[in-house]
Amino acid sequence: MSSKLTGARIDAAVAAVSGIKKRPLNRGIIAIWAVAVPLMMLGALMVTSASATQAEGAFASGARHFLYALVAIVLMGLVAMFVTITLLRKIAPWFALLAVILQLLVLFSPLGVTIGGNRNWLALGPVTVQPSEFLKLALIILLSLSIYQSHRNKTVVQNNAPIWIVSFALIIMIVIGHDQGTASVLGLIVIGCLYFTGASGKRVASFIGVGAAAAVLGVLTSSNRLDRIKSLFITDNSVDYATLNWQPTHAIWAIANGGVNGTGIGNSIVKWAWLPASENDYIFAIIAEELGLIGAICVLLGYGVLAWALIWILGTVRDNFSRGIIGGVLVWIIGQAIVNIAVVLRILPVLGVPLPLISAGGSALLACALALGVVLVCAHEAETRIRKERLPTQKVGDASLPKLNKRGVV
């Protein structure tokens, strides 16, 4: 009996692997894997270096982040291999509901944790989760599904109401927790989903206008946010040096210290209590210091290739569900990377958003990997459709088979 059971399990595993091999590849899919994995590994290395001076013990945070990176890569692969567009549409509302429930627990339960003035974390025993990171992907999938259904059903009410209600409700939940940076990213995500699904310029402009007005109101009603913006125009670093200018000033010093070739892995000076959040929001400063201008440019090129891959895949899909997902993920990951680096370079005020795929934080890393896995699902589906359309067929009875040569290639 046991041998039969073992044989059945082996047959099931072989069938699963055979199904994986049938997933077609294209240059966009290959580029995403070729960039995402090295960026995650670089993140694990740099987080280890930046956090080696922490009181909990050298390399403790780095080892934990390396484990998160491995889990993220596996999760990305599992989603790409086994999830389909049909399944994604079915589970989208449930995934969004789970993310919303977790965010509500952050705001209105004793499990919520406040760090740095932001109530944005959920303490589940020894593990701390940041539901707002998964809320980004939930918003992308839910908006894309809503837009897809509204275009298919051609219903005016469906085409407007859910998009606005869901978007503003989720953004307000983040604003309640005083996380202006994440709220801004959610706003960018909505704009990306609308733009890449062919929404009218008037609708996109109206959302941008409402979002800009809300951002201005948020700045004017907070003296701390207003002071952050004012600090961008202060040329004398001695002004508010120990307060608002502490992080921006030492980030610039770190970049300058790195020069062209860098000081070498582990040789950062500012990570020794001079630059708070050096393994999180300011990890790019540590990269520029230890790996120099060359390392910083390589990171920028990595995000550039990732942006190209997402745009390339975007050109292969046809349905608005896939377009919304890919466009939203594109604006999320690339937009957030631009914002993070701009903050480090002191072009933007401190917003508190991590560098995607690199910064410390398991929730952010897993959410980005999950999002890229969903993009790969859309890419596989599109590539399968394209290959079927390109294959010339010949009639054999009631079956339609592709014409293949001896190598199995058309």
Side-chain angles (χ1 to χ4, degrees):
M1 182 69 180
S2 61
S3 61
K4 291 183 178 179
L5 180 60
T6 303
R9 289 174 177 174
I10 292 175
D11 291 341
V14 171
V17 173
S18 300
I20 292 171
K21 290 181 179 179
K22 293 179 181 178
R23 289 287 174 113
L25 299 176
N26 58 37
R27 64 188 68 177
I29 296 172
I30 295 172
I32 287 179
W33 279 110
V35 171
V37 173
L39 284 178
M40 292 184 201
M41 291 296 99
L42 175 65
L45 176 63
M46 299 312 302
V47 167
T48 300
S49 175
S51 61
T53 61
Q54 293 181 354
E56 64 174 318
F59 310 120
S61 295
R64 183 167 58 248
H65 187 77
F66 181 75
L67 179 61
Y68 281 132
L70 293 179
V71 173
I73 294 170
V74 172
L75 178 64
M76 180 176 161
L78 291 176
V79 172
M81 291 173 183
F82 297 109
V83 177
T84 63
I85 290 290
T86 302
L87 178 61
L88 202 57
R89 289 172 185 156
K90 290 180 179 179
I91 66 175
W94 301 106
F95 179 75
L97 179 62
L98 176 61
V100 168
I101 291 174
L102 292 176
Q103 187 62 32
L104 289 174
L105 289 176
V106 170
L107 297 175
F108 305 111
S109 79
L111 297 176
V113 177
T114 301
I115 300 177
N118 295 342
R119 190 175 180 84
N120 208 13
W121 288 266
L122 191 65
L124 301 175
V127 180
T128 303
V129 182
Q130 192 173 359
S132 61
E133 292 296 329
F134 298 97
L135 204 62
K136 296 172 183 176
L137 180 58
L139 176 60
I140 290 172
I141 298 177
L142 203 59
L143 274 180
S144 301
L145 181 62
S146 176
I147 294 170
Y148 168 78
Q149 291 176 341
S150 66
H151 279 256
R152 190 176 63 173
N153 298 331
K154 298 180 180 179
T155 305
V156 176
V157 175
Q158 285 183 325
N159 206 21
N160 290 279
I163 295 176
W164 297 104
I165 294 174
V166 171
S167 303
F168 283 118
L170 296 184
I171 292 174
I172 288 173
M173 289 176 61
I174 301 300
V175 172
I176 292 175
H178 304 289
D179 190 349
Q180 188 78 14
T182 301
S184 300
V185 173
L186 288 176
L188 290 176
I189 285 172
V190 176
I191 294 171
C193 289
L194 291 175
Y195 178 80
F196 288 107
T197 53
S200 65
K202 183 178 180 181
R203 182 181 301 175
V204 175
S206 62
F207 190 90
I208 293 175
V210 173
V216 171
L217 181 63
V219 170
L220 294 179
T221 55
S222 171
S223 59
N224 181 264
R225 296 191 187 111
L226 190 59
D227 289 339
R228 289 182 187 181
I229 294 178
K230 289 180 180 178
S231 67
L232 291 176
F233 304 97
I234 298 176
T235 56
D236 185 1
N237 290 331
S238 63
V239 178
D240 288 329
Y241 169 71
T243 53
L244 291 176
N245 273 329
W246 182 269
Q247 279 182 297
T249 299
H250 287 94
I252 295 298
W253 288 356
I255 296 172
N257 186 45
V260 175
N261 298 321
T263 59
I265 298 293
N267 294 327
S268 169
I269 296 176
V270 298
K271 69 182 181 183
W272 292 90
W274 291 103
L275 183 60
S278 59
E279 74 279 13
N280 296 314
D281 302 342
Y282 279 86
I283 190 70
F284 187 75
I286 304 300
I287 292 174
E289 184 180 12
E290 295 189 349
L291 302 182
L293 179 63
I294 296 174
I297 290 177
C298 287
V299 171
L300 294 176
L301 288 176
Y303 285 114
V305 173
L306 184 59
W308 170 86
L310 291 170
I311 294 172
W312 193 91
I313 294 173
L314 192 61
T316 66
V317 299
R318 288 184 178 177
D319 62 289
N320 277 326
F321 181 67
S322 297
R323 287 172 181 164
I325 289 176
I326 299 171
V329 173
L330 169 66
V331 174
W332 165 17
I333 295 181
I334 303 304
Q336 187 170 308
I338 293 173
V339 169
N340 176 277
I341 294 172
V343 168
V344 174
L345 296 177
R346 208 170 180 179
I347 298 173
L348 291 177
V350 179
L351 291 174
V353 295
L355 187 60
L357 302 173
I358 294 181
S359 288
S363 297
L365 183 58
L366 292 175
C368 285
L370 190 60
L372 290 177
V374 171
V375 169
L376 293 176
V377 171
C378 300
H380 284 306
E381 295 279 346
E383 184 65 17
T384 300
R385 186 202 77 246
I386 291 172
R387 294 193 179 194
K388 286 181 179 179
E389 292 175 351
R390 289 177 178 174
L391 286 176
T393 57
Q394 58 184 7
K395 296 292 183 180
V396 182
D398 294 331
S400 180
L401 301 176
K403 295 179 180 179
L404 304 176
N405 60 22
K406 293 180 179 180
R407 295 184 179 180
V409 182
V410 177

